[in-house]
Amino acid sequence: MAHEKITCPFCGGMVTVGSVCEYCGSVIQLSTPIFEKGLPKTERKTVSGEQYAEKISKYQTVGGYYNGKLAIVSIGRRFGLIDKKGDLVLNLDYDNIYCVDGTEGTGLFAVCRFGKGYALYNENGKFITDFQYSLIEGLGNRIGGLGSRTYNPKGLNYVCRENKWGLINSDGIEILPCVYHEARFITALFSKNGIEQYDKYIKVKNDKKYGVFDVEGHEIIPCIHSSIYAYGESQQYMVAGSQLYDIESRQEVLPHIYAICSHFSNTFPNVVVEKEGSKRGVYNINARIEVLPCIYDIVIISDNLIIGEIGGKRGVFTLTGEKILPCVYDEITIEHNWIKVGIKFNNGENWGLFKLTGEEIVPCRYDRIEPDGADKLKLYYGMDYIGANHFFTIKMDGDRIVEKGSPKVLNGWSVFWSVLCLLGAIFFISSFGFFYNKFVLCLILCLLAVPVGCIWNALAIRRYKI
């Protein structure tokens, strides 16, 4: 008996008595260990523990009570249901019984009789369908999968007949007929906190096309679209193909001249739309107005701002369409409390910073702008013609410069050596003349190169200084 395999009353898989079911994780054990765990308090009021133990002792397995009413029991490969007193309410005449999705607070069972099929049985002791289905599965079970989190207050379940799938509710009424080819033909249209919501609308797939039904079985959108998904912070909108619909009013939100090409939940209610298959703009769903006309090659919504590109040049706009920066920049990135822009010049780029309102912080004349720790930036300059990484440092407080740092190349030692070399050059010129001989000429030029370089750096610093 210890190594005998029986059918799991919870999922229908074969499992050894006294072990854990490898399919659903339920513990399969004899009635005595179940009794030792203790009975519900309400049960002790109607029947003694000894009487209950005697009644269930004849069963090989006794499952838990679903919603405190009925439990699945089995002897060998025969299954039935008992009530809280241990009395049979459904005889052991069936080949498999397991629990499926019922309405909130109620239990619903799939009962199998080989040669006839599956039927639905409720906790009130009644069959609500006949044995017409080849399989019944709860939406949360995900046939062939590991399960999913669902909110299913209507008690919807998959049903299969002649290899075609449909949907049935907890009253035994077919919401969708068994005409669909795939077991995964239905999913929830909406989700909340990662939980699929089967309380209002369901998305249906048939022959690789999608449509929408409500949980009463009424068609909302026919199965003619290549894709359908919910949209919006409150999920009141639905994208079907390239069009946007208000799910409650069943009306299209976008005019037919537009096609939605991307959406951004963090910037709702704006969407990026396309017109005539090439040019893009921005449309406000709630106000039903065009924010930016469809004249842009690229439109990006980032950090509550809109970046638009025309002919390779980019600009920045607010979510209401007001211009912040014109489309004259080759590169634009929005970072923290400012906008970094770049303009191509010869073989390089000149970079600058602007406030989110469009006011200039740093002019576009630096070769590179990079972060240097928290709220600090390095402004590189003169990298091409000087050959060294000269840079200023600035510290930002929001979009304001609160601290400036001098370039590392300009310090006291450089000034000291420049003055010393200049005095040495003057001494040799006054003693021997500028063209005394080649050696003296080279020496004077070398000495003069040091102060000239220092003056050159000083002029560059003055040019790039903020």
Side-chain angles (χ1 to χ4, degrees), residues 183-203:
R184 296 278 67 79
F185 75 100
I186 177 175
T187 53
L189 178 62
F190 299 142
S191 63
K192 184 178 181 180
N193 299 325
I195 301 175
E196 296 179 349
Q197 306 291 305
Y198 290 94
D199 58 336
K200 287 186 177 181
Y201 303 104
I202 52 179
K203 181 170 64 174

Side-chain angles (χ1 to χ4, degrees), residues 367-368 380-391 409 457:
D367 299 301
R368 197 167 74 238
Y380 289 88
Y381 70 93
M383 296 173 61
D384 293 332
Y385 60 88
I386 295 180
N389 290 343
H390 301 259
F391 59 86
V409 295
N457 286 339

Side-chain angles (χ1 to χ4, degrees), residues 69 95 115 122 129 134 138 148 157 218 281 297 299 314 328 342 350 363 372 410:
K69 290 187 176 181
D95 300 282
N122 63 24
T129 71
S134 57
S148 62
N157 291 279
H218 303 119
D297 302 312
V299 173
R314 295 190 171 192
V328 297
N350 288 346
D372 182 31
L410 188 64

Side-chain angles (χ1 to χ4, degrees), residues 1 43 68 77 102 119 132 136 160 214 220 224 226 229 253 263-264 278 305 309 312 327 373 392 395 464:
M1 178 71 72
E43 193 168 315
R77 299 192 178 186
Q132 59 177 299
I136 301 176
C160 182
D214 63 20
I220 307 300
I224 59 175
S226 58
Y229 52 90
V253 176
H263 68 281
F264 303 84
S278 58
L305 292 177
E309 180 178 309
C327 292
F392 291 91
K395 184 176 181 180
Y464 291 102

Side-chain angles (χ1 to χ4, degrees), residues 156 167 175-177 179-180 185-189 197-206 209-223 228 238 247 250:
L156 304 180
L167 199 65
I175 299 302
L176 296 178
V179 297
Y180 298 93
F185 75 100
I186 177 175
T187 53
L189 178 62
Q197 306 291 305
Y198 290 94
D199 58 336
K200 287 186 177 181
Y201 303 104
I202 52 179
K203 181 170 64 174
V204 176
K205 179 182 179 183
N206 195 25
K209 296 294 183 179
Y210 292 90
V212 175
F213 288 76
D214 63 20
V215 292
E216 305 298 331
H218 303 119
E219 184 181 79
I220 307 300
I221 300 292
C223 292
I228 288 180
M238 173 183 61
I247 189 64
R250 318 286 201 267

Side-chain angles (χ1 to χ4, degrees), residues 298-322:
I298 298 174
V299 173
I300 302 170
I301 301 181
S302 175
D303 293 334
N304 294 322
L305 292 177
I306 304 172
I307 300 175
E309 180 178 309
I310 299 179
K313 299 295 183 179
R314 295 190 171 192
V316 181
F317 306 86
T318 67
L319 292 180
T320 59
E322 298 176 2

